[in-house]
Structure formats: C-alpha cells, structure tokens
Amino acid sequence: MTANNDTSSLSIYLLAGVATTTCSFNECRKKLDKLFRDDGIEPQIHVLFPYGDASRNVVRQVLEVRSDLSNRMTAGRIGGQRAFHTIKQNKNNKRMLLIGHSGGGAAAYQAAKMMEEYGEDNDIRIVQVGSPKTPIDPRLQERVSYFHSVDGMGKLNDPISRIGSWGGWSAAGRAMPKWNRLKYAPGYVEGIPTVGGHADYFRHTKPYTDEQSICNLDKTIDSVRGWLKGWL
C-alpha cells in the first residue's frame, strides 16, 4: 500500500505488553482521536498485541518480551517482528507514532528499527511507557522517548522500568573505557507522577486521580504530547 504523505494525517499504533486485556486501550484511543482531531490532524489508530492478549500463556509472553530486550543493535525479535509485519501491511501514512506500554514499548522500538533497516521511508516516533530498558541504536535515539512512573519524591516506582539496561562502554582517544549507563538511552526520558502501579498509566477513573482530580491517562498523554511538539 502506498503511504500517504499528507502531513494532516497520522498513523498511531498502541502496542500492549504482557497479559493485557483487549479493552485496556479503549479510553486512551478515544482521547487520542479527539485531541489530534482538535489539532487538525486525522489519526488512524490501531491497537496491537505483539505478545498476545491476557488469554495467552503469560510465561510464553514474558520469554518473548525478553527476546526483544537484546543489547544487540540489529533488530528482528519476536514481538518486534509481529508488530513490524502488521504495521507494514497497514501502512498508509508516512508519519507514524508508535506508543508501547511495558513490553509493548520494546516491540515498538524493534518494529521501528526493522523499518529503518529495511529502508522504509517513514517519519516515525516511538514512545515507551513503563517499559523495560531497551538499548536504542544511536541513529534512532532522538526519535524515542521513555516515560516511567515516579512517586511524590520524584523517585522511580515502577519495577518493570528497572529491568534491562541502557549502558555501554565508552572511550575517548587513549583513555581507559568507562561504563556509561545512558549510552544507549532514548533521547528523552521523563518521570510521570501517576497513582497506582505499572498497569495504571492509562487509567482514567478514581482512584487513579490525584488531589487536583487529574487522572493517570491525562498525565501520560499530556507528557507524550509535550514531547511531540515541534514534530506534529
């Protein structure tokens, strides 16, 4: 299918992680659709389950997510492959936004990496929400953002966000190599003060609201939109 180069259109893919119910992104999808249309952008929103939904064996899903956390710079893992093939079949816009929660964030990056390696000509951005740390190729770092939950003191409080590593060895000239824990980090990292835990970034009703009655979903989407300014 030929990609649409119209800058007023945008393909959005919401990628689920492990043991996610089929309705988990319903409210997020509605909110994104309204917000983008209000901005004069026509979104085409798709929900993907690169590891299967909550009805599939959880152990198998976890093992597949682990394959997408490889520190190798080449792409082509299990969830990433599934997402890549689905996106390629549905591709009808040059501009794409991939938003992945938990393991879905790893699959989103791997799918985007595969598109880059296969020479797909797309203007793409990747958002990882509450995801394990996946090493990002330096060529794609500025296209990737990472959001994680923090507590009232600003400290990370999502255990899944502690999994994995962005680290790598760096050396300048004849100096001894030093470990750089952010060498392969996304280009943008931000903490979101959400209520609840890892599964609650997209909750929109009580008790997942703060003292100002702002829900987790609004905080998450507002943070993502802030990062996207200048691109949209």
Side-chain angles (χ1 to χ4, degrees):
M1 184 178 294
T2 302
N4 181 2
N5 294 331
D6 184 358
T7 57
S8 66
S9 61
L10 175 70
S11 289
I12 302 175
Y13 292 89
L14 303 175
L15 290 87
V18 171
T20 304
T21 61
T22 56
C23 63
S24 293
F25 284 123
N26 284 0
E27 194 63 30
C28 177
R29 186 173 184 169
K30 292 177 185 176
K31 184 174 182 64
L32 287 173
D33 185 78
K34 181 179 186 307
L35 288 174
F36 281 111
R37 290 186 186 279
D38 288 347
D39 288 342
I41 298 172
E42 182 180 348
Q44 297 180 2
I45 306 176
H46 311 267
V47 179
L48 306 184
F49 293 85
Y51 308 105
D53 59 28
S55 66
R56 187 167 180 254
N57 182 278
V58 174
V59 174
R60 289 187 178 181
Q61 292 187 53
V62 170
L63 292 176
E64 290 177 358
V65 170
R66 287 182 61 185
S67 78
D68 280 323
L69 300 182
S70 171
N71 61 2
R72 292 180 295 174
M73 288 296 103
T74 55
R77 310 303 165 250
I78 297 174
Q81 285 185 359
R82 290 175 181 150
F84 167 73
H85 290 301
T86 300
I87 292 170
K88 190 173 181 180
Q89 290 174 358
N90 294 329
K91 187 176 69 173
N92 53 7
N93 283 306
K94 183 178 177 64
R95 292 199 305 168
M96 298 184 185
L97 174 61
L98 277 58
I99 303 176
H101 173 243
S102 191
Y109 165 69
Q110 294 289 0
K113 182 71 171 84
M114 289 184 70
M115 295 178 75
E116 189 256 354
E117 289 185 354
Y118 280 88
E120 297 287 336
D121 182 23
N122 296 292
D123 186 7
I124 190 168
R125 294 296 182 274
I126 304 99
V127 177
Q128 299 180 315
V129 180
S131 300
K133 292 182 175 66
T134 308
I136 308 299
D137 188 306
R139 293 176 297 180
L140 294 177
Q141 283 176 314
E142 294 308 311
R143 297 187 182 188
V144 183
S145 63
Y146 183 93
F147 299 91
H148 61 86
S149 178
V150 296
D151 61 20
M153 302 298 291
K155 294 182 179 180
L156 189 150
N157 65 354
D158 181 347
I160 301 301
S161 296
R162 300 182 186 277
I163 298 173
S165 172
W166 295 324
W169 292 100
S170 297
R174 297 182 179 180
M176 289 290 292
K178 294 183 179 180
W179 182 256
N180 179 355
R181 66 184 182 85
L182 298 176
K183 183 173 182 178
Y184 299 111
Y188 184 83
V189 179
E190 180 183 335
I192 304 174
T194 59
V195 179
H198 172 71
D200 305 318
Y201 289 93
F202 300 100
R203 305 285 189 186
H204 67 286
T205 58
K206 291 182 179 180
Y208 303 102
T209 57
D210 61 17
E211 295 81 359
Q212 288 75 43
S213 298
I214 302 175
C215 67
N216 288 353
L217 175 60
D218 285 347
K219 292 179 181 180
T220 300
I221 296 302
D222 286 348
S223 294
V224 172
R225 280 167 58 82
W227 176 67
L228 291 173
K229 283 183 179 179
W231 178 62
L232 294 173

